[in-house]
Structures are given as structure tokens and as C-alpha cells.
């Protein structure tokens, strides 16, 4: 008897299901070739072994990262179980081992045996005829014994005489609950029994099940994986199913089986994203919508790499051509697995996670047909070498097979075949890989002859071979072939059926290959020709070709119009795209390739479709969100404000219209943000000092942010600064440049005035000509004393203005380029940095130009009455003619000469009246 043991890293097949019994294995064909024989004691022995094996629940042998490790064959003939050792009472009159016949199934070459376990005498056997040429099951029989296998009853009439069964499953927590799956090639249904297989109820399915995963503790909870990679869940032992997720990787879904037992209804799965990446997702078994999903691993993972076992979760990520392995212990954050520095693994399989330790097989960079075994610390992060060069080979299905066997019933005992100098020797460990020893041969053989075998020169070697025809369980499917197909609707018509035409009306049956046919029913079940009646449109739907409700501005959107009933050829279709454009089609057939449309604007559009014919009409609506990528966010707010005064903050976007947005505002050290749908908010600060504000803008899958600092004081002074015109030639008008110039100007002011730098804040404003705002702040020391009064601020202001008017404030922009800083004029309030692309100061300069022009006009008009002003105006005009205006980088913004603002010479002769702001 030989068997395949899947890696512990993957939940294995229900271990109450035994490997296939074929003529070359544990079943036997009688000499007359007409009956199948089975040793009853072997059935009990196998069932007992299955019961001992028992915690796994996957309905199909699964593998860890594509690998599994092998079992050890029995030596000699299968040992018969001593009656005293059999779990459960002996039936009266039972005489021990003996053959029995399953009459009529001599050709069957596969069998599944299930024993309900202790205190039960029920044994179920499912025999099948598997045609290797067709690759399918052609016959099946279900047998049941209630006397430990002494006699058997055939149950084909209870499950359907023509029903072909493919698999038998048993709830791992309640052996009385049995599930039978029909062959998906014939029908898609399952049969459920709650009385150890005595009676069955049949349930149709609308999907074909590829494998099952039973919950380890809840007897009615099941996950089903379909052949089209969809994952379903049931809380009623398969009677009803709920679609959880699509695009799930095969055998990469798990129940949450933490030792602590937390969140028993949590499902772990690996799913494929729209763009083809793999992602680790967790969700509740009854709700796996996008909003309720969690993604514990940040980023994508390699395909078919997720393993969830006990307290551990493993994933693999390949970067730079090398795989990297990560582990999460007790669902905490993922940590890279630490192997010896130069092991450079190219493949890894999780063998066991018992006793809060990970036992793994790793193929290193210089290994081809061997693996090294490693043991980890409690968290599964740091690994230590346990055994080198364990033999491996390719399995029958192309998966890696590692010569390692875990002895059932004894924790920590493993057998492994190690390759040493082109020889293979078997080693055994009793402590999960800490110590390994060769197998000691017995002193004598069965006949009493001495065995001359001394360690380490001679030892026992076990060939861990895989069965030639290993049995793997797993699939659910069904359709009752005595009834019409579940999808059959006798009143439904083909959409191509137009008035005046005829069609073949199906009876709901299909022709299948069978060895038990009845003559004379062809006419009864053959499709009948009928005239196409006229029908009003019904069941109209409009969707996008990719199934999304979003589209990008300026890109084609393809709409699909679907109609359940109605005359396609004689129906008029009208589509209104919601943006002022609409199209019409004479019939639906012309829309089969989709209706394409491009939206030029951002917004939410109501797309409507109307289909009508002479008998009626139907309509449908789709709300489409058209967006464009968000490229830049700029937070606009004052540089300085007074305490307890309302301040406006605005998030300025580029482009300005991108669709539906969410704004997340963070203030200072607050742990909870303010979330709004508007891009502007009003707030106040009650404490003096420097405060940080961050706005995050969420647009679809994109989140951008900007952070600004605002100074809050009870009182401060504000003064506008201007620069010599040569600075405009080097102004790229970007935030980084403005911040650098602000720091340079502040440093220059501190150097010439000896004023503490905490009193000074300089902010260069966007736009041309280049200007800045100087704030004089009431700085106080760390003790809170020596706080500056209004008079102190006034004195500091006068000092700074004096230095500015005397041309003492300047800096070298680059060798040979010297920039002077001037006091332009006072402002009544702090200015706001509006946007990086639209300058508020530029508008202010423009107004200044208008004002100066008006003043010049007035002076010209009354120059004879005011001689002094006349002379000043003439002098200024002469100076303006001598100045050469620099070429602005933005020609659309007017270049205002510095003389039109206020000259330094004029400021020297006048006493500036500095106005306080605040209290």
C-alpha cells in the first residue's frame, strides 16, 4: 500500500478519504473477474488510520508552493488490524478477516472507503469506472454496510440510477454528514446525507466545483472553488452558496485557523487583480465586497505563493530575479524571512508549523535534485539548518516531490532520504529536525536469520515511492438527467428570433453517451420547430465593456446593451450619453461590438438607453463617473494669522476638475483627521506658535498631499518687500525656488540688523515681478517670559525698514548677479499664497500700475498748480526711460518697473507709518 502525503503547509484532502483502491493496490479482483473484493479488517484499519489522521479539510490534495512530501510504503502485505485494536465494538458473530463481493462492479478500477469512526459500524464505499482514454468517469456505484463490512447494500436507486458520482466527502467535525458530488461532465449537483449515508437529498448547483474546503470546527461551513476560479461559501453544508470572490488562485484559499481561535469566519485568499497581479486578501465568509476586504500585505505577491497555516501566513515576492519570502506571525505585520546569508534560495516549501515552529524545505542556488531542511524560531523569521541534501524529484503532475515523511500520531517524528555521495540514505528524527540518525536494522529477520548490518556502515533505507495511479479527490457538479436542465425556460426565445421566422424550441435535454439507452424517446426529447412570436423588449441592461462605472476623460468608453427578451431585428435603440450627445440604431444587432463614446469633460453622467418596438419598450440607466488623473495639490493659506481668528485653507488642484474627490485634513499632532468633500475649510487656532496643516486629496486610487506651516500670534507686523528687477530673470516661479529665496532674504535681514531670527518670517510670493512678505513676530524665550510688546515690534520694524531703505539688505544670486531688497509698501493684513500658477500678487501689481497711471494723469493735468510734483514726475519719467525692462519668463504677466512701486530714495525722506495687526 502506497500513499501520497501533501505538504503540511497546505490543508490536505479530507483524511477520512483514503487513496484510490485499484487492482494493483489495496483492492483485489476475484479469480472469476466478476466481483470486487475487499478485506474487512483492512477497511477498518484504513478507516482507523483516516480517523487518526484527521484534522484536514480540503477536498482535494493540496500542495505548499507546488510541492508535497512523500509517504512510506508498507513493508510486505498490509497488516491486518487486531480486533482488539479496532476502534468501536465488534459486531456479533464477526469472525475476523474475510473476503466479500461487491457484485456487478467487476470493471470498476477506483474505490473510496469511509468509516464513520468510533461507536459506528457504518462503512461507505464509492466504486467508479474511470476511462483513461476518455479522461472521465463512466460508471459509479455506492455501497453501504451497517455491520462493519460483513454485508453491503447498493444505494444507486437512492441517489439516482443514472447518476454518476465522482467524489465522496465527509464533514471532518461530524462524520454522520456525507456529501456526494456528481460527475461535472454529466450534471452539476450534490447529494447530502445527515444520517451516515442512509438517505440523500439532491441540490442543483449553478457552477462546477473543482475542490472543497471544510471548516475545521464548524461542521456546516464550506468553501467551494469552481472550475472558472470563483470562490463560494456555504453555511448550510452546501444547500445554498454565496459568491465570495472571482479570480482566486487554485488551492490558495484558507480558513482562519489560528491557535487562539479568533475570527473563525475569516477567509484568506489569493486573488488576481484586473491588471493580472496577485494580491493577498482577507474577508468574512458572508461578505467579501471591495469595501469589506482587507489587504494585509502591502503590495503584490507572486502567483500561487500564499500559505496560511495555524498562526503563520507566508507569501513570496520576486524582485531582481530572486524570490524573497515574508512571514506574518499571529496576523501581525509581515517580516522578511532570514535564512543564512548565502543560501540564496530559489524555492521554498513549508512542511510543518506544529509546536509554534516552522519546518521548511529550501532549495538553494546550487541545488537541483535536493533540498535543505530548516527549522525556525517561534515567529518564523530566523531559520537554522536541520538537514542538508534531502532527495527530491518531479511528481506525476509536474510538482516537486520531497522525500520526507511525517509519522502520523507522533509529533515531531520525520523520515527523510538524504543524498550522500551519490547514495541515498534514510534518516529519522524524533525532535522535529534537531537530531537525525540513520535507521538501525534489526538483529534478525522474520525467519530468525542474523542480519549483519552495523551503523554507520550499514542501515535501513526506505524507498519513498509515489503510487503509479495516486487518488486525488475534489470536485462538485450536478444536473438531474431525469429532469430538464436547471437553466431551461420553455418560454424563452432566442434574441435573433424575429417575427415571421421560426426557431427550434429546446425541451431542456441534451444527448449524452450512455451504456443504458431506451429506444423510442428521440422524438420526445428532440427540439421542436416553432414560429417566432413578437415580443416586447424586456430585461434591458447597459454596462461598460470592462464592467466598471468609471472612465477617464478623453478616452473611449465602450457600452454594451443587453436584452433578455425582444425582437432584435425590429427594435429601435436610443442611447443618451448624458453629455448632450445621443445616438440611435435601427436594431440591436448593430450594437453587438459595443457603442463607443468619448467624454471631453469630467463629471457624473446619466447614461440612458431606450429600446422599443411595436409591442412595447424598456429602458435602463447607468451612472458613469468620468475622471482625469490628479497631478498636483497645492495648499493655500496665510503664512501668519492672529490667535482665535478664522482662517481659510484651500486645496488648489491641477487640473482643477478631476471628478469626485475626498479631502483629508490633518492639524498639528491631532490623531484624527477632518474629512470633507469640499476643497476649502475654515478654522481657528487658540494657541500661539507654529502649526502644521496637511491636506490629502483622494482621487480614485491616487492620493496626493501638501503640507504648510502657519504662524499664530496675538499680534505681528507685516511689510511688503520688492527686489531689484534682475531677480525676475532667474525666477522660475516654483515653490522650491521661492522657499530658497525666502531663506536667503531672512538670513540677510538677520545679518544687517542683529534682530533674532525668530522675529523674522519671509515668504516670497508667486508670480512676477518678484515680491515677498516680511512678517515681524513677537518671539518669546522658552521660559515664556520676555515676551515682546507692541512697542518692541514697532522698534524692530523701524530697524528693518531703515536697513532696507539704506540698501544694506542684498544677496548674491550667482557670481556677478547682486540682488537688492527694498521695502515696497505696508500691508494691512498678511497676504495669502494663492496658487503656484495664478499669482495674487501679480494682480496687485497690475492694480498698482493702474493706480500709478491714474496718478501720473492727475499730476499731468494739474502740474502747473503743483510745481514740486511736476518736477518729481518729470524726473521719474526720465528714469523710466533710462531703465531697460527685463524679459519676463511669463510674457502674459505685465512687468512693472520698480520705480512705479516706491523708490528707496523716496523712502529715506519719508517716515513710514507701520500699522500694527492684531491687538
Amino acid at each position: 500500500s502506497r500513499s501520497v502525503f501533501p505538504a503540511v503547509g497546505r490543508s490536505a484532502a479530507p483524511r477520512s478519504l483514503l487513496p484510490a483502491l485499484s487492482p494493483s493496490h489495496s483492492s483485489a479482483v476475484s479469480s472469476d473477474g466478476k466481483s470486487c473484493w475487499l478485506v474487512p479488517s483492512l477497511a477498518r484499519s484504513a478507516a482507523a488510520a483516516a480517523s487518526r489522521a484527521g484534522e484536514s479539510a480540503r477536498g482535494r490534495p493540496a500542495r505548499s508552493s507546488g510541492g508535497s512530501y512523500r509517504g512510506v510504503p508498507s513493508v510486505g502485505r498490509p497488516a491486518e488490524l487486531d480486533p482488539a485494536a479496532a476502534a468501536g465494538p465488534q459486531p456479533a458473530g464477526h469472525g475476523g478477516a474475510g473476503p466479500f463481493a461487491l457484485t456487478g462492479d467487476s470493471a470498476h478500477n477506483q474505490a473510496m472507503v469511509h468509516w464513520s469512526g468510533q461507536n459506528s459500524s457504518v462503512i461507505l464505499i464509492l466504486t467508479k469506472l474511470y476511462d483513461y482514454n476518455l479522461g472521465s468517469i463512466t460508471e459509479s456505484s455506492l455501497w453501504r454496510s451497517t455491520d462493519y463490512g460483513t454485508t453491503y447494500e447498493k444505494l444507486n436507486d437512492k441517489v439516482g440510477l443514472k447518476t454518476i458520482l465522482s467524489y465522496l466527502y465527509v464533514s471532518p467535525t461530524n462524520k454522520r454528514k456525507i456529501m456526494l458530488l456528481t460527475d461535472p461532465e454529466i450534471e452539476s449537483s450534490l447529494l447530502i446525507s445527515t444520517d451516515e449515508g442512509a438517505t440523500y437529498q439532491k441540490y442543483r448547483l449553478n457552477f462546477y466545483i473543482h475542490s472543497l474546503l471544510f471548516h475545521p470546527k464548524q461542521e456546516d461551513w464550506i468553501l467551494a472553488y469552481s472550475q472558472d476560479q470563483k470562490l463560494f461559501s456555504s453555511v448550510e453544508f452546501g444547500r445554498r452558496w454565496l459568491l465570495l470572490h472571482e479570480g482566486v488562485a487554485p488551492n490558495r484559499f484558507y480558513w482562519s485557523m489560528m491557535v487562539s481561535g479568533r475570527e473563525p469566519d475569516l477567509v484568506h485568499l489569493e486573488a488576481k487583480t484586473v491588471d493580472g497581479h496577485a494580491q493577498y486578501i482577507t474577508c468574512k465568509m458572508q461578505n467579501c465586497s471591495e469595501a469589506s476586504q482587507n489587504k494585509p500585505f502591502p503590495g503584490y505577491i507572486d502567483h500561487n505563493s500564499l500559505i496560511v497555516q495555524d498562526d503563520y501566513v507566508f507569501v513570496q515576492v520576486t524582485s531582481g530575479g530572486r524570490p524573497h519570502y515574508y512571514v506574518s506571525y499571529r496576523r501581525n505585520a509581515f517580516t522578511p524571512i532570514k535564512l543564512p546569508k548565502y543560501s540564496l534560495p530559489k524555492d521554498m516549501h513549508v512542511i510543518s508549523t506544529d509546536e509554534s515552529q516552522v519546518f521548511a524545505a529550501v532549495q538553494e542556488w546550487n541545488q537541483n535534485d535536493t533540498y535543505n531542511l530548516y527549522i525556525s524560531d517561534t515567529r518564523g523569521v530566523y531559520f537554522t539548518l536541520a538537514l542538508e541534501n534531502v532527495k527530491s524529484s518531479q511528481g506525476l503532475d509536474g510538482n516537486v516531490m520531497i522525500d520526507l515523511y511525517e509519522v502520523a500520531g507522533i509529533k515531531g517524528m520525520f523520515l527523510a532520504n538524504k543524498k550522500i555521495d551519490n547514495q541515498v540514505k534514510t534518516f529519522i528524527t524524533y525532535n522535529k529536525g534537531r537530531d537525525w540518525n540513520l535507521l538501525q536494522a534489526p538483529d534478525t529477520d522474520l525467519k530468525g536469520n542474523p542480519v549483519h548490518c552495523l551503523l554507520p556502515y550499514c542501515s535501513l533505507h526506505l524507498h519513498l515511492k509515489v503510487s503509479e495511479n495516486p487518488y486525488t479527490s475534489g470536485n462538485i457538479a450536478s444536473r438531474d438527467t431525469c429532469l430538464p436542465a436547471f437553466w431551461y425556460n420553455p418560454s424563452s426565445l432566442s434574441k435573433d428570433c424575429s417575427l415571421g421566422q421560426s426557431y427550434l424550441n429546446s425541451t431542456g435535454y441534451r444527448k449524452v453517451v450512455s451504456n443504458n439507452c431506451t429506444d423510442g424517446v428521440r422524438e420526445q426529447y428532440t427540439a421542436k420547430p416553432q414560429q417566432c412570436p413578437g415580443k416586447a423588449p424586456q430585461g434591458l441592461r447597459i454596462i461598460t465593456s470592462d464592467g466598471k462605472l468609471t472612465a477617464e476623460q478623453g478616452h473611449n468608453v465602450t457600452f454594451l446593451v443587453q436584452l433578455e427578451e425582444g425582437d432584435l431585428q425590429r427594435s429601435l435603440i436610443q442611447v443618451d450619453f448624458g453629455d448632450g450627445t445621443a445616438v440611435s440604431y435601427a436594431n440591436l444587432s448593430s450594437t453587438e461590438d459595443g457603442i463607443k463614446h468619448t467624454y471631453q469633460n469630467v463629471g457624473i453622467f446619466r447614461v440612458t438607453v431606450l429600446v422599443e418596438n411595436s409591442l412595447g419598450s424598456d429602458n435602463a440607466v447607468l451612472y458613469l463617473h468620468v475622471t482625469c488623473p490628479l497631478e498636483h495639490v497645492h495648499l493655500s493659506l496665510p503664512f501668519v494669522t492672529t490667535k482665535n481668528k478664522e482662517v481659510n485653507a484651500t486645496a488648489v488642484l491641477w487640473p482643477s476638475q478631476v471628478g469626485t474627490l475626498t479631502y483629508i485634513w490633518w492639524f498639528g499632532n491631532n490623531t484624527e483627521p477632518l474629512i470633507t468633500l469640499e476643497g476649502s475649510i475654515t478654522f481657528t487656532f487658540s494657541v500661539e506658535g507654529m502649526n502644521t496643516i496637511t491636506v490629502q486629496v483622494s482621487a480614485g486610487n491616487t492620493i496626493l498631499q501638501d503640507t504648510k506651516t502657519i504662524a499664530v500670534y496675538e499680534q505681528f507686523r507685516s511689510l511688503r518687500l520688492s527686489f531689484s528687477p534682475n531677480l525676475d530673470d532667474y525666477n522660475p516661479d516654483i515653490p522650491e525656488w521661492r522657499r530658497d529665496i525666502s531663506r536667503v532674504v531672512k538670513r540677510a535681514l538677520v545679518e544687517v540688523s542683529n534682530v533674532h531670527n525668530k522675529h523674522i518670517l519671509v515668504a516670497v510670493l508667486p508670480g512676477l515681478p518678484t515680491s515677498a512678505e516680511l512678517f515681524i513676530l513677537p518671539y518669546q524665550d522658552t521660559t515664556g517670559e520676555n515676551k515682546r510688546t507692541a512697542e518692541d515690534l514697532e522698534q524692530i520694524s523701524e530697524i528693518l525698514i531703515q536697513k532696507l531703505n539704506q540698501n544694506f539688505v542684498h544677496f548674491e544670486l550667482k557670481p556677478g548677479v547682486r540682488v537688492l531688497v527694498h521695502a515696497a509698501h505696508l500691508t494691512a493684513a498678511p497676504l495669502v499664497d494663492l496658487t503656484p500658477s495664478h499669482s495674487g500678487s501679480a494682480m496687485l501689481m497690475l492694480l498698482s500700475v493702474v493706480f500709478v497711471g491714474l496718478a501720473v494723469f492727475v499730476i499731468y493735468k494739474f502740474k502747473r498748480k503743483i510745481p514740486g510734483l511736476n518736477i518729481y514726475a518729470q524726473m521719474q519719467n526720465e528714469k523710466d526711460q533710462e531703465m531697460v525692462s527685463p524679459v519676463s519668463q511669463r510674457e502674459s504677466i505685465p512687468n512693472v518697473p520698480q520705480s512705479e512701486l516706491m523708490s528707496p530714495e523716496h523712502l529715506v525722506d519719508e517716515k513710514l507709518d507701520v500699522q500694527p495687526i492684531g491687538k
Side-chain angles (χ1 to χ4, degrees), residues 900-915:
E900 291 184 14
L901 297 175
M902 185 174 287
S903 68
E905 296 82 3
H906 187 60
L907 287 171
V908 172
D909 298 330
E910 293 188 12
K911 174 68 175 180
L912 290 176
D913 184 16
V914 181
Q915 299 294 329

Side-chain angles (χ1 to χ4, degrees), residues 55-292:
E55 297 304 327
S56 171
R58 189 175 293 279
R60 195 175 185 86
R63 298 169 182 84
S64 167
S65 301
S68 63
Y69 58 94
R70 292 176 173 158
V72 181
S74 302
V75 178
R77 65 185 298 274
E80 296 183 359
L81 181 67
D82 187 279
Q90 279 286 340
H94 184 72
F100 63 92
L102 302 178
T103 308
D105 292 339
S106 59
H108 289 193
N109 53 11
Q110 289 185 353
M112 296 180 64
V113 182
H114 166 68
W115 176 51
S116 295
Q118 190 171 0
N119 299 324
S120 175
S121 60
V122 174
I123 297 176
L124 290 175
I125 300 179
L126 173 62
T127 63
K128 299 178 290 184
L129 175 59
Y130 184 86
D131 191 323
Y132 290 95
N133 294 322
L134 297 176
S136 61
I137 301 169
T138 57
E139 292 181 14
S140 68
S141 295
L142 181 64
W143 302 83
R144 185 173 186 263
S145 172
T146 58
D147 53 7
Y148 289 98
T150 302
T151 59
Y152 282 86
E153 176 189 9
K154 194 171 186 178
L155 303 182
N156 283 29
D157 58 335
K158 294 187 178 181
V159 299
L161 292 175
K162 296 185 179 181
T163 299
I164 298 180
L165 302 175
S166 57
Y167 298 102
L168 181 151
Y169 295 90
V170 183
S171 170
T173 54
N174 185 351
K175 300 298 192 297
R176 295 179 59 84
K177 290 190 174 182
I178 311 295
M179 181 181 292
L180 296 172
L181 309 185
T182 59
D183 183 17
E185 296 292 329
I186 306 299
E187 57 179 331
S188 180
S189 63
L190 55 83
L191 296 96
I192 295 175
S193 172
T194 58
D195 53 6
E196 290 186 291
T199 59
Y200 293 89
Q201 288 182 309
K202 196 169 189 177
Y203 296 87
R204 292 193 179 94
L205 301 172
N206 58 2
F207 62 100
Y208 294 95
I209 293 185
H210 180 266
S211 60
L212 290 178
L213 180 62
F214 292 83
H215 196 276
K217 294 183 180 180
Q218 300 291 334
E219 63 186 53
D220 291 333
W221 293 7
I222 310 174
L223 296 177
Y225 184 73
S226 69
Q227 294 182 1
D228 56 354
Q229 296 187 333
K230 296 178 181 178
L231 187 64
F232 297 80
S233 68
S234 174
V235 295
E236 301 177 67
F237 200 69
R239 293 175 178 87
R240 292 185 180 87
W241 296 94
L242 173 70
L243 175 63
L244 280 186
H245 207 283
E246 299 185 11
V248 179
N251 292 324
R252 301 293 169 176
F253 50 93
Y254 309 83
W255 293 108
S256 182
M257 296 184 292
M258 293 184 62
V259 175
S260 62
R262 290 191 294 119
E263 300 180 307
D265 61 340
L266 191 68
V267 178
H268 303 254
L269 57 95
E270 176 186 322
K272 185 182 296 184
T273 62
V274 177
D275 52 0
H277 294 288
Q279 202 164 35
Y280 170 31
I281 295 173
T282 63
C283 60
K284 300 291 186 178
M285 67 176 297
Q286 291 292 90
N287 182 12
C288 204
S289 63
E290 183 68 26
S292 63

Side-chain angles (χ1 to χ4, degrees), residues 796-846:
I796 295 174
S797 300
E798 292 178 356
I799 294 174
L800 294 176
I801 291 173
Q802 182 181 9
K803 298 298 181 182
L804 289 165
N805 290 340
Q806 293 174 353
N807 289 339
F808 286 168
V809 183
H810 54 80
F811 59 92
E812 296 291 329
L813 185 66
K814 57 185 293 187
V817 179
R818 188 182 187 189
V819 178
L820 293 176
V821 185
H822 312 295
H825 57 81
L826 295 177
T827 59
L831 297 180
V832 177
D833 185 1
L834 292 175
T835 72
S837 57
H838 297 84
S839 171
S841 61
M843 294 299 297
L844 186 60
M845 294 299 101
L846 186 59

Side-chain angles (χ1 to χ4, degrees), residues 787-799:
K787 184 176 181 179
R788 297 290 185 176
T789 63
E791 292 75 14
D792 296 330
L793 296 181
E794 189 79 20
Q795 183 180 2
I796 295 174
S797 300
E798 292 178 356
I799 294 174

Side-chain angles (χ1 to χ4, degrees), residues 151 170 176 191 233 251 306 375 405 435 510 543 557 657 676 702 713 743 799 846 852 899:
T151 59
V170 183
R176 295 179 59 84
L191 296 96
S233 68
N251 292 324
L306 175 66
I375 195 77
Y405 171 64
D435 302 300
R510 66 173 178 170
I543 59 174
V557 185
Q657 298 293 327
T676 67
T702 302
Y713 293 100
R743 285 192 292 268
I799 294 174
L846 186 59
V852 172
S899 59

